[in-house]
Amino acid sequence: MIFSTIRKPALVALGIVLALVQAIPSSTLRAKPRSLSFDYNNQKVRGVNLGGWLVLEPWITPSIFEKGGDAAVDEWTLTQCLGKDGAQSLLSQHWNTFITAADFQQISAAGMNHVRIPVGYWAVVPQPGDPYVQGQLDILDQAIEWARAADLKVIVDLHGAPGSQNGFDNSGRRGSIDWDQDPTHVNITLDAIQALAERYAQYTDVVTIIEALNEPMSVMGPSGVDLNTLKQFYYDSWGRIRAVNQDTVLAMHDGFQDIDSWNGFMGPDSGVWNVMMDTHHYEVFDNGLLSDNTDQHVQSACSFGKNKVSPTDKWTVVGEWTGAMTDCAKNLNGRGVGARWDGSYGSGSSFHGSCNGYAQGQVTDLSDDARTDIRRFIEAQLDAFECHTGWLYWTWTTEGAPEWDMKEQLATGVFPNPVTARQFPGQCD
Ligand SMILES: *[C@@H]1O[C@H](CO)[C@@H](O)[C@H](O)[C@H]1NC(C)=O
């Protein structure tokens, strides 16, 4: 489909695509997968995101942002407030302690086989004038060794692009969506993809997937990311990776478009291979969904798996999802922003219940009923998302967000351990 709509001044990467298409008989093109160290056709991806580690988020580690003062609302302003030296010292300490080799062992012991590791462009292709500090890739190198030792595969996920692809604090910079407004931003992002592909070319037994860009916001009209720019960027990302090797999977987030709409794009008949869709499923960022009871949350998850994830024409993971049924976690909607759940979010939010116990605390402090409901919702999603390629939970560990903290949830029986265990089997049948 993109070949007919693609813009005329053929970019370098498209040339590579076409050259490959010409060089390889079409029957070979459909023979997949190509010597990957994980069989994405027949094995289920079961994994977790290592969020808030190499890209900081105010709700995952509130204490770090408090050290930056009230103006520190994202990694850009945090590092700006701290200054280069202060930021380097605080962030290095965080990188070295927040997640260690023991975490990789625990993830593997619970029956998982993948981790998704967010990293910002600023770690890979630092830009003059940015306040950010570097050193994350040394940690990522180490993480890949830990993953190999624990028999885990790694998705290297570019979570922040210059100009911000979604305006979320987790892109590094909260505010406007400027990524696609300047071709230089897009070029820098492609350079980051290429640099990651080259850096991990010798690690393809572990780094099986590179995700081009997390959550580009393409559904906001003129103020969001232009969909054609995004599609061209995905094609060019594939070309940059293929120029390095033939195997590494390119993962593409759906840009918040209906997943159906991606069928045909870089699909089985388009001459490209080892391409995966990533879709994210949350039921807490919408007032209507927050009114649902647990049965309704379960039904929504089952329906999403059956009707949306299942029918896609390429490998599809639900690369982020949660057991949370409130948006109460402190700073979840942004530093200094309230929650829809208790009506403190402002316009359009109304009271569903108190955030006591949900905003900050331990999983064991939640009521028995709350823990049972979360477990039920988690199990339904596990069943729903295994209908296709698999899933990655958001997120492994937090400073105190009990609805989101997989490490604690596994330890307290709120997340099935191993992840294939069920107390509520067949919820989606
Ligand atoms: C982006 O990269 C393309 C291809 O290398 C090049 O032709 C173009 O001039 C670059 N644009 C900018 C704004 O740097």
Side-chain angles (χ1 to χ4, degrees), residues 173-231:
R173 203 163 186 185
R174 172 174 135 183
S176 57
I177 303 170
D178 292 337
W179 174 69
D180 60 322
Q181 302 296 310
D182 181 345
T184 307
H185 292 157
V186 179
N187 278 8
I188 292 167
T189 313
L190 288 168
D191 290 345
I193 297 297
Q194 182 177 333
L196 289 169
E198 285 169 354
R199 188 177 185 102
Y200 298 119
Q202 304 308 315
Y203 297 68
T204 51
D205 62 315
V206 179
V207 181
T208 50
I209 302 176
I210 294 176
E211 180 153 359
L213 190 56
N214 180 67
E215 296 192 346
M217 180 60 80
S218 70
V219 289
M220 284 175 55
S223 62
V225 165
D226 175 70
L227 194 53
N228 288 324
T229 305
L230 181 62
K231 287 181 170 175

Side-chain angles (χ1 to χ4, degrees), residues 109-241:
M112 285 175 276
N113 48 37
H114 279 68
V115 289
R116 179 170 177 261
I117 308 183
V119 60
Y121 78 88
W122 56 90
V124 188
V125 285
Q127 298 300 305
D130 284 3
Y132 296 122
V133 293
Q134 285 75 39
Q136 299 92 332
L137 292 188
D138 294 336
I139 310 290
L140 184 53
D141 293 350
Q142 174 74 79
I144 290 164
E145 301 295 344
W146 292 338
R148 180 182 285 122
D151 204 15
L152 294 167
K153 306 303 178 191
V154 172
I155 303 174
V156 174
D157 155 45
L158 194 70
H159 217 72
S164 182
Q165 73 279 16
N166 51 35
F168 300 154
D169 54 18
N170 57 57
S171 71
R173 203 163 186 185
R174 172 174 135 183
S176 57
I177 303 170
D178 292 337
W179 174 69
D180 60 322
Q181 302 296 310
D182 181 345
T184 307
H185 292 157
V186 179
N187 278 8
I188 292 167
T189 313
L190 288 168
D191 290 345
I193 297 297
Q194 182 177 333
L196 289 169
E198 285 169 354
R199 188 177 185 102
Y200 298 119
Q202 304 308 315
Y203 297 68
T204 51
D205 62 315
V206 179
V207 181
T208 50
I209 302 176
I210 294 176
E211 180 153 359
L213 190 56
N214 180 67
E215 296 192 346
M217 180 60 80
S218 70
V219 289
M220 284 175 55
S223 62
V225 165
D226 175 70
L227 194 53
N228 288 324
T229 305
L230 181 62
K231 287 181 170 175
Q232 183 66 55
F233 165 74
Y234 282 156
Y235 248 112
D236 292 344
S237 297
W238 191 89
R240 294 287 184 109
I241 293 172

Side-chain angles (χ1 to χ4, degrees), residues 88-410:
Q88 192 73 57
S89 128
L90 187 62
L91 270 57
S92 297
Q93 195 204 345
H94 168 69
W95 299 330
N96 281 309
T97 53
F98 190 60
I99 288 174
T100 66
D103 293 286
F104 286 76
Q105 292 294 334
Q106 282 180 47
I107 290 166
S108 179
M112 285 175 276
N113 48 37
H114 279 68
V115 289
R116 179 170 177 261
I117 308 183
V119 60
Y121 78 88
W122 56 90
V124 188
V125 285
Q127 298 300 305
D130 284 3
Y132 296 122
V133 293
Q134 285 75 39
Q136 299 92 332
L137 292 188
D138 294 336
I139 310 290
L140 184 53
D141 293 350
Q142 174 74 79
I144 290 164
E145 301 295 344
W146 292 338
R148 180 182 285 122
D151 204 15
L152 294 167
K153 306 303 178 191
V154 172
I155 303 174
V156 174
D157 155 45
L158 194 70
H159 217 72
S164 182
Q165 73 279 16
N166 51 35
F168 300 154
D169 54 18
N170 57 57
S171 71
R173 203 163 186 185
R174 172 174 135 183
S176 57
I177 303 170
D178 292 337
W179 174 69
D180 60 322
Q181 302 296 310
D182 181 345
T184 307
H185 292 157
V186 179
N187 278 8
I188 292 167
T189 313
L190 288 168
D191 290 345
I193 297 297
Q194 182 177 333
L196 289 169
E198 285 169 354
R199 188 177 185 102
Y200 298 119
Q202 304 308 315
Y203 297 68
T204 51
D205 62 315
V206 179
V207 181
T208 50
I209 302 176
I210 294 176
E211 180 153 359
L213 190 56
N214 180 67
E215 296 192 346
M217 180 60 80
S218 70
V219 289
M220 284 175 55
S223 62
V225 165
D226 175 70
L227 194 53
N228 288 324
T229 305
L230 181 62
K231 287 181 170 175
Q232 183 66 55
F233 165 74
Y234 282 156
Y235 248 112
D236 292 344
S237 297
W238 191 89
R240 294 287 184 109
I241 293 172
R242 283 296 161 270
V244 176
N245 75 46
Q246 303 299 300
D247 305 329
T248 308
V249 174
L250 167 73
M252 311 183 291
H253 181 264
D254 62 19
F256 301 103
Q257 301 284 331
D258 217 314
I259 326 179
D260 305 358
S261 69
W262 293 92
N263 287 338
F265 175 75
M266 295 180 80
D269 296 321
S270 62
V272 300
W273 60 90
N274 289 359
V275 172
M276 180 179 284
M277 288 307 300
D278 172 26
T279 189
H280 296 170
H281 187 75
Y282 291 112
E283 299 184 20
V284 294
F285 298 111
D286 173 280
N287 274 311
L289 288 173
L290 283 175
S291 312
D292 285 357
N293 61 30
T294 307
D295 283 339
Q296 291 168 316
H297 280 298
V298 163
Q299 283 318 308
S300 299
C302 294
S303 156
F304 181 71
K306 181 164 178 261
N307 300 316
K308 294 294 174 186
V309 179
S310 224
T312 58
D313 71 350
K314 50 187 87 67
W315 298 326
T316 301
V317 290
V318 181
E320 293 188 15
W321 59 281
T322 174
M325 287 178 277
T326 81
D327 63 340
C328 288
K330 184 184 180 185
N331 297 339
L332 182 66
N333 296 304
R335 194 147 183 238
V337 180
R340 297 168 186 84
W341 182 255
D342 68 358
S344 61
Y345 183 76
S347 74
S349 72
S350 55
F351 186 82
H352 299 273
S354 164
C355 278
N356 283 346
Y358 293 106
Q360 275 189 301
Q362 307 289 302
V363 174
T364 46
D365 296 334
L366 295 172
S367 72
D368 288 351
D369 283 353
R371 279 183 285 153
T372 304
D373 287 345
I374 294 171
R375 170 133 188 171
R376 224 164 39 92
F377 185 37
I378 287 174
E379 287 195 16
Q381 294 183 87
L382 291 170
D383 289 347
F385 306 154
E386 288 198 7
C387 68
H388 206 337
T389 311
W391 51 267
L392 298 107
Y393 195 67
W394 189 277
T395 184
W396 175 242
T397 187
T398 71
E399 278 183 359
E403 290 180 287
W404 300 79
D405 194 304
M406 189 190 212
K407 189 176 180 173
E408 261 189 46
Q409 290 171 345
L410 277 170

